[in-house]
Every structure is written in C-alpha cells, then in structure tokens.
Amino acid sequence: MTKTILNIKHLAGILVLGAAMTLMTIAPLNAEPINLITNGSFEDPVCPADRIGFWTTHYIGDSTMTGWTIGLAGIDHMCTFWHATDGERSVDLSGDGAGSISQIIPTVAGKTYDVSFDMTGNYFCGSSTKLMTVNAPGYSQQFDYVIPVGISQLDMKYEAKTFSFVADSSSSQIEFVSDTLEACGAVIDNVILTEITPPEPEDGKVTICHKPGTPAEKTLEIPEAALKGHLKHGDTVGACA
C-alpha cells in the first residue's frame, strides 16, 4: 500500500511539473509586443517643480528629452498643462514655430513595424487645424487635427493614429514634423512602435500583400519558400489593408 501511494504522489508531481513547463512554453507566445520606442510618452525628464502646470521649450541640440532628437524651431514639452493619454507629459510639435522630434531605433530589414500615437492640437492660439507629417523608411504621411467643440485642458480629445512601414536596414528613423508654422501646433503622446510577427504559415503557404501602394496591389497566398524573394521586391507579409 505504501508503495502505491508513493507512486501516485510521484505521478502527480510529474503532471504538475509538465503543466508548469507547458505554461512556460506558451507564455512567451502570449506576451505583449515590446515597444521599441524609448520614452514614447515623454515622461523623462519628470516635471520640474517650477514647471508643473506649464511647459518647457526645447531647441536643436537640447538632449533633455531622453531618446528624442529635436529639430527645426523646437518643441514644447508640456507638463500637466493639459491632460496626457499616458502619464503627465505630452509634446506640442510647434515651439516658437514648426519643430520636430525624431528617434532612431534598431530594426530588421524586411520586417514590418506598426506605429501608433495619440494626437490632439494646442487650441490656445493659431489656426483651428493642426498639421503634422510622420516620416519613416519608405513612408511619409501628413496627419491633421481639427480643433473640436468642447476641447479643454481636462479633455484634450485625443485621436488615435496608426501607420506601418517596412524597415530597409538595421536601424530606422521615425520623425514627427510640425506643418503648423506658428506656435500652438499638433500635440502627440503615447508613441508605440512594435514589430509585426507574421502568423505561422499553414500548409507551407504565407499570406502577403503584393505590390502594396500600387494599382497592382493585391493579397496573395504564396509558398513559404518564395517569401524571401517577394520581400526583396517590396511585398509585405499579411493581407493588404
């Protein structure tokens, strides 16, 4: 009888260990994508005590804002002046005039990356439509924000924006440029950039977008062995948008 009990306990231990190992194996597959942007919510540096409720203007050569390079006429680093979508800080891309911020991140050539950010506008001065352009490898797009009724410092009415690009080298620059030439421009927060992991191919087939952005664009199912050649010609993994 004692021997039987020990065997049962031993078997139970093996089952528990096996279940734990299974969970350890599955966990990475369900992990959240890693944000490759440094300081995407602009929280570093923290709000200086004398600037809480105001902002600090940063100019070319100012490396205060971790991860970001500042260009053109500078930007305003907001410090609880109005609400942010993540943390306390956000960036008005027009400092004394149209400014810019950029960041270089490590990438893999041929890989597709998704970028998301929240956009609003500084309604305290200037035009009612705030314009900005986002640049990435092989990608450039202007985004606009029309100041809505009801916007306030407590409710900045951010809009979620997204785009994707295909890296062409081991590093890629992401740039946000104000197209509002005056002060009080487009405002951004919560910048997130993640690598798209293509789905596991079924039966040796991969879904691609053939000739994206051209009149010949279409979704295709191709043999996995042909994927590398298609990527070299500018096709991307996944169905066309």
Side-chain angles (χ1 to χ4, degrees), residues 33-37 105-116 134 136-137 139 162-174 192-198 236-237:
I34 298 172
N35 185 8
L36 300 176
I37 288 287
I105 60 166
T107 51
V108 178
K111 290 278 189 178
T112 302
Y113 295 82
D114 275 344
V115 182
S116 65
V134 176
Y139 177 91
T162 61
F163 67 92
S164 299
F165 70 94
V166 178
D168 56 12
S169 69
S170 59
S171 63
S172 299
Q173 177 173 280
I174 309 301
I192 299 173
L193 187 152
T194 56
E195 179 185 319
I196 296 177
T197 302
T236 58
V237 175

Side-chain angles (χ1 to χ4, degrees), residues 5 19 27 31 34 71 79 96 101 105-106 109 113-114 119 122 128 166 174-175 179 186 199 239:
I5 291 174
I34 298 172
C79 185
D96 293 341
I101 59 173
I105 60 166
Y113 295 82
D114 275 344
M119 179 180 181
N122 186 343
S128 59
V166 178
I174 309 301
E175 183 181 40
D179 295 324

Side-chain angles (χ1 to χ4, degrees), residues 117-120 130 132 143-145 158-159 161 186-187:
F117 62 96
D118 299 322
M119 179 180 181
T120 184
K130 310 299 182 180
M132 58 166 282
F143 292 86
D144 66 346
Y145 183 89
Y158 287 86
E159 295 177 356
K161 306 291 185 180
V187 176

Side-chain angles (χ1 to χ4, degrees), residues 66-184:
T66 301
W68 297 98
T69 297
I70 297 162
L72 301 177
I75 56 90
D76 288 335
H77 196 188
M78 313 306 292
C79 185
T80 70
F81 181 74
W82 49 52
H83 99 271
T85 57
D86 186 30
E88 298 182 327
R89 314 208 69 168
S90 58
V91 164
D92 181 343
L93 290 172
S94 287
D96 293 341
S100 69
I101 59 173
S102 62
Q103 185 169 143
I104 297 175
I105 60 166
T107 51
V108 178
K111 290 278 189 178
T112 302
Y113 295 82
D114 275 344
V115 182
S116 65
F117 62 96
D118 299 322
M119 179 180 181
T120 184
N122 186 343
Y123 63 94
F124 280 84
C125 64
S127 60
S128 59
T129 299
K130 310 299 182 180
L131 300 172
M132 58 166 282
T133 294
V134 176
N135 298 311
Y139 177 91
S140 183
Q141 180 177 339
Q142 186 177 74
F143 292 86
D144 66 346
Y145 183 89
V146 179
I147 301 297
V149 174
I151 192 171
S152 71
Q153 288 170 273
L154 296 178
D155 181 10
M156 288 294 287
K157 299 190 180 299
Y158 287 86
E159 295 177 356
K161 306 291 185 180
T162 61
F163 67 92
S164 299
F165 70 94
V166 178
D168 56 12
S169 69
S170 59
S171 63
S172 299
Q173 177 173 280
I174 309 301
E175 183 181 40
F176 297 86
V177 183
S178 174
D179 295 324
T180 303
L181 302 181
E182 61 215 2
C184 300

